[in-house]
Amino acid sequence: QVQLVESGGGLVQAGGSLRLSCAASGSIGSINVMGWYRQAPGKQRELVANIISGGITRYADSVKGRFTISRDNAKNTVYLQMNSLKPEDTAVYYCNMVVRRPLTVVLNNYWGQGTQVTVSS
């Protein structure tokens, strides 16, 4: 089993910055994909950004140029640096990882508990 623990959410004024972190622990062979999703009230969960093991990143168009995703493989941790925040960035942010079990080729998908990000105007 794998656990994801998120931190770094909070309340910030428009134009401000926040940094989210998500650390994985447990039975981990490797982590193929690390990412962040968000869900605003009344809306579907959407991809914000992800990064694969080779370092290739993908961003939602709405956050390009403002958010940066990075990973520390030694710490099994993914970060999301969020700059120039806007009220429309307000949502619960969820960490997501695709983890290969040790000594197998089995991949499992895991989610963090979610962290609230609120951007005031």
Side-chain angles (χ1 to χ4, degrees):
Q1 191 62 283
V2 174
Q3 297 78 41
L4 305 184
V5 178
E6 303 167 1
S7 61
L11 173 64
V12 65
Q13 288 188 332
S17 298
L18 284 174
R19 189 190 194 211
L20 305 182
S21 300
C22 175
S25 62
S27 183
I28 299 171
S30 63
I31 304 177
N32 289 25
V33 184
M34 295 181 174
W36 292 93
Y37 288 72
R38 68 186 180 186
Q39 188 167 18
K43 295 187 177 181
Q44 289 188 331
R45 190 174 298 189
E46 63 175 359
L47 174 69
V48 176
N50 63 17
I51 181 169
I52 65 173
S53 55
I56 296 174
T57 58
R58 179 174 60 165
Y59 295 92
D61 288 343
S62 58
V63 307
K64 284 181 181 177
R66 300 188 297 122
F67 292 10
T68 302
I69 190 170
S70 60
R71 60 189 285 170
D72 184 331
N73 292 327
K75 296 181 179 180
N76 291 329
T77 298
V78 62
Y79 305 96
L80 185 68
Q81 178 66 43
M82 304 185 293
N83 299 328
S84 302
L85 282 160
K86 304 175 181 180
E88 50 264 44
D89 294 317
T90 296
V92 177
Y93 284 70
Y94 296 92
C95 172
N96 172 259
M97 295 193 187
V98 178
V99 180
R100 182 181 60 79
R101 290 169 55 185
L103 305 178
T104 76
V105 296
V106 175
L107 299 176
N108 293 108
N109 197 35
Y110 295 96
W111 293 91
Q113 78 280 7
T115 185
Q116 177 70 46
V117 171
T118 303
V119 184
S120 63
S121 58

